[in-house]
Amino acid sequence: MNTTFITRLTRAMLPVALLAMTAGWQVPVQAATNCAGGTCVFGGTGNDAMTNEEARQSKEQWNETQRLRAMKNQRNEKDFSKYDNAIDLRDKCEASQNINAYWEPNTERCLDRRTGRQLMAP
């Protein structure tokens, strides 16, 4: 009767023990890397607090620089689109059949010579 109890206890505890052993092995492995935000910085053993802090600061600086670069590129694309649209409108205005249409370079609009109003479709 005693061996039956030990056998049942072993069968019941074996999956729990394997799960605990697997989880115990994964925690140090994941703690050794600093991959929280997508930019991974590997710092050797991972035990040195100063190294981890330097890696965190480096990652933070990289993310901030990347964000600023993206904002600058977006602004350049927006300015280029505005400039490109103005050139297209100027070309349409100058090629217009309307003899009263003229291009105002300061406001970048196609205006009517008689009224001074903007022409919608030159």
Side-chain angles (χ1 to χ4, degrees):
M1 184 166 193
N2 193 13
T3 49
T4 308
F5 175 73
I6 292 174
T7 306
R8 287 184 181 172
L9 182 65
T10 305
R11 285 185 184 162
M13 293 302 290
L14 184 62
V16 174
L18 288 173
L19 184 65
M21 186 174 67
T22 304
W25 177 75
Q26 285 294 323
V27 170
V29 169
Q30 290 182 355
T33 62
N34 298 324
C35 292
T39 306
C40 295
V41 179
F42 297 97
T45 62
N47 295 329
D48 189 16
M50 193 62 185
T51 304
N52 288 341
E53 179 63 20
E54 289 172 358
R56 186 195 63 76
Q57 288 177 357
S58 173
K59 179 180 152 191
E60 189 175 294
Q61 181 181 4
W62 170 261
N63 289 340
E64 185 67 22
T65 304
Q66 185 177 17
R67 186 181 68 81
L68 290 174
R69 263 192 251 119
M71 285 173 46
K72 183 177 179 186
N73 288 341
Q74 187 178 13
R75 168 71 108 203
N76 288 344
E77 287 177 16
K78 187 177 177 182
D79 289 344
F80 180 76
S81 295
K82 187 189 303 182
Y83 178 73
D84 198 32
N85 288 340
I87 290 175
D88 290 343
L89 288 174
R90 184 189 70 200
D91 291 344
K92 285 180 184 177
C93 185
E94 290 174 352
S96 174
Q97 296 295 323
N98 186 349
I99 60 171
N100 291 321
Y102 76 100
W103 179 254
E104 174 62 38
N106 292 336
T107 59
E108 296 183 343
R109 296 185 301 170
C110 188
L111 302 176
D112 188 346
R113 290 183 200 280
R114 293 175 296 167
T115 62
R117 293 186 184 163
Q118 183 174 358
L119 296 175
M120 293 310 215

